[in-house]
């Protein structure tokens, strides 16, 4: 039994180290996938009817205004979240684990299986997992591009632009309490990553 216990503990330590290393590596990656939550309001100042859209990163998502079911978009709130691992290994109580592996339960004693129950519970919870944390505004990579016409690739500036020659799109990279003329111009919303230069990715 001692040999099996040693092998089990060595395996747990190896697994714990692998989990901790992978978690730390994930946290340091600059390209971690953001989850973008977009709340669109029908009126400026975050008033009126509202709808919430969620994008989990990856391929851009194009949403027609009709799907939002609002007559117009007066204001927008953005929330970006990224998963942050908290790698850490909490080894279970060795005495309880030893008893769980070596003791045979006594059918006449209802508490004889208690060490096994506690040891299994400790094993299940020995790895901390993590949590979703907000992304600071300067580090955010996702946003919404509002389109006056159907998004194209590359964008058809000459076809979709208004008479003033303005771009056929407008990027929203932070909370926007008043979208101005884009409140009535917007026909499509594109949820995507951006590089803050206006180029498409």
């Amino acid at each position: 039994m001692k040999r099996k216990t040693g092998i089990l503990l060595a395996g747990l330590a190896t697994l714990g180290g692998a989990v901790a290393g992978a978690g730390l590596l994930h946290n340091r990656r600059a390209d971690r996938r953001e989850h973008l939550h977009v709340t669109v309001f029908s009126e400026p100042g975050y008033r009126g009817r509202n709808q919430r859209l969620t994008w989990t990163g990856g391929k851009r998502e194009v949403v027609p205004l009709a799907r939002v079911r609002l007559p117009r978009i007066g204001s927008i709130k953005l929330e970006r979240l990224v998963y942050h691992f908290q790698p850490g290994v909490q080894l279970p109580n060795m005495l309880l684990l030893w008893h769980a592996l070596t003791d045979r339960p006594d059918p006449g004693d209802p508490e004889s299986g208690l060490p096994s129950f506690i040891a299994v519970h400790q094993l299940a919870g020995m790895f901390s997992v993590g949590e979703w944390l907000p992304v600071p505004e300067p580090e955010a990579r996702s946003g919404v591009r509002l389109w006056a016409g159907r998004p194209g690739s590359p964008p058809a500036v000459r076809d979709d632009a208004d008479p003033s020659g303005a771009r056929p799109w407008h990027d929203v990279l932070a909370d926007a309490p008043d979208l101005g003329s884009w409140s009535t111009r917007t026909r499509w919303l594109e949820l995507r990553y951006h590089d803050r230069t206006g180029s498409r990715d």
Side-chain angles (χ1 to χ4, degrees):
M1 259 320 163
K2 291 183 179 179
R3 184 179 178 189
K4 289 183 179 179
T5 304
I7 293 173
L8 175 62
L9 293 178
L12 290 174
T14 302
L15 178 60
V19 170
L24 289 173
L25 183 62
H26 170 86
N27 291 341
R28 291 186 179 134
R29 287 178 52 187
D31 62 342
R32 287 182 296 168
R33 179 173 289 191
E34 293 178 8
H35 283 198
L36 171 66
H37 301 285
V38 181
T39 306
V40 292
F41 298 82
S42 61
E43 302 296 335
Y46 315 118
R47 296 192 304 268
R49 292 166 50 199
N50 65 80
Q51 289 286 344
R52 184 176 170 92
L53 305 173
T54 298
W55 180 66
T56 58
K59 187 177 180 181
R60 68 191 178 101
E61 181 178 353
V62 177
V63 179
L65 183 61
R67 198 170 97 193
V68 179
R69 297 181 180 177
L70 297 177
R72 60 187 171 275
I73 299 178
S75 49
I76 293 180
K77 272 186 175 288
L78 303 180
E79 180 185 20
R80 293 97 156 190
L81 299 174
V82 68
Y83 194 77
H84 182 84
F85 280 105
Q86 294 177 323
V89 179
Q90 179 99 22
L91 291 176
N93 183 292
M94 293 296 108
L95 183 59
L96 283 174
L97 183 60
W98 173 257
H99 284 298
L101 292 172
T102 59
D103 293 351
R104 292 188 176 184
D106 182 0
D109 183 4
E111 295 185 0
S112 65
L114 191 58
S116 296
F117 175 79
I118 296 175
V120 169
H121 185 267
Q122 289 181 346
L123 284 172
M126 66 181 291
F127 302 111
S128 58
V129 183
E131 59 184 332
W132 288 95
L133 297 177
V135 180
E137 186 63 45
E139 299 174 16
R141 301 171 51 239
S142 56
V144 181
R145 176 166 285 184
L146 308 178
W147 287 86
R150 187 179 182 92
S153 180
V157 176
R158 187 173 299 277
D159 293 339
D160 292 337
D162 65 12
S164 67
R167 281 183 172 179
W169 71 82
H170 173 68
D171 285 334
V172 179
L173 308 180
D175 290 351
D178 189 348
L179 290 172
S181 65
W182 279 96
S183 176
T184 54
R185 288 188 67 196
T186 300
R187 295 293 176 269
W188 298 79
L189 298 89
E190 183 183 5
L191 283 58
R192 60 195 287 272
Y193 287 122
H194 64 82
D195 59 8
R196 295 185 179 268
T197 66
S199 63
R200 296 175 60 81
D201 45 5

